[in-house]
Amino acid sequence: MKIRIAIVLALAAAVAAVWWTYREPLEGYGSIGAAFGARTACSCRYVAGRELSDCKKDFEPGMGAVFLSDDPENKAVTAYIPLLSSQTAQFREGYGCLLDPWKG
């Protein structure tokens, strides 16, 4: 039992160390990936008129962690990477899809 607790604590410490070391790059890449996903999916949905489920086909390889959420009332799409980042793009007549301002 003591060995299991020691293993769990060691794994938790390793995860915390990795997170602390690579937190800023992960958050940066996450924000960029979510922003790209939101803008691409918004354009797909509200400029091209396709279904949101079809819009992930436009993503670059390696974007499997990006999930999409549609807000038809506001003509907006939110892309998010769980526990890392979330970005929203909204369709505006005459301008296309614009990202919400970044908070940072």
Side-chain angles (χ1 to χ4, degrees):
M1 184 68 170
K2 290 181 182 181
I3 292 183
R4 287 183 186 173
I5 292 172
I7 290 172
V8 168
L9 289 175
L11 287 174
V15 168
V18 168
W19 175 253
W20 185 259
T21 303
Y22 298 105
R23 177 179 52 87
E24 287 183 14
L26 285 173
E27 288 175 349
Y29 290 133
S31 292
I32 291 168
F36 177 84
R39 174 112 180 1
T40 300
C42 178
S43 296
C44 167
R45 178 79 175 101
Y46 294 107
V47 176
R50 294 164 43 203
E51 292 296 321
L52 189 65
S53 59
D54 190 47
C55 295
K56 282 194 103 172
K57 293 177 185 175
D58 297 342
F59 283 9
E60 295 293 323
M63 291 186 63
V66 178
F67 295 91
L68 301 173
S69 158
D70 192 13
D71 180 2
E73 185 176 310
N74 294 311
K75 292 187 175 181
V77 173
T78 299
Y80 61 95
I81 300 173
L83 304 174
L84 200 56
S85 184
S86 174
Q87 300 290 328
T88 300
Q90 183 176 18
F91 176 77
R92 297 199 178 123
E93 195 64 46
Y95 296 97
C97 288
L98 303 175
L99 287 170
D100 286 353
W102 284 19
K103 301 169 189 113

